[in-house]
Amino acid sequence: EKEGKTLEKSIEVYGNIEIKDELDEKREKGEALGESRINQLNLKLSELNRSDEILKAAVDREYQKKLLNEFGL
């Protein structure tokens, strides 16, 4: 009986570690995608001589979203 509970606990802990690893991987992918989108936005704004908008977008999340939509990012 005790061995069965220990095995169940081990399986539960292992499962939780697996889930955490999967969530960490998804978070990292999401962060990389977000960083890529912002970098693309900054490059596009710079190419269009709209560098002042890079700073505005950095402090104004709604303006940043508007620009991301404007450029299809």
Side-chain angles (χ1 to χ4, degrees), residues 11-24:
I11 292 170
E12 180 183 333
V13 168
Y14 179 74
N16 287 341
I17 291 169
E18 234 178 33
I19 291 169
K20 182 185 180 307
D21 289 347
E22 187 175 325
L23 291 174
D24 286 346

Side-chain angles (χ1 to χ4, degrees), residues 9-41:
K9 187 66 177 170
S10 295
I11 292 170
E12 180 183 333
V13 168
Y14 179 74
N16 287 341
I17 291 169
E18 234 178 33
I19 291 169
K20 182 185 180 307
D21 289 347
E22 187 175 325
L23 291 174
D24 286 346
E25 184 180 322
K26 288 183 179 191
R27 179 189 46 79
E28 289 172 10
K29 284 181 180 179
E31 286 176 358
L33 177 61
E35 290 169 1
S36 175
R37 290 175 67 214
I38 298 305
N39 288 338
Q40 289 177 54
L41 175 62

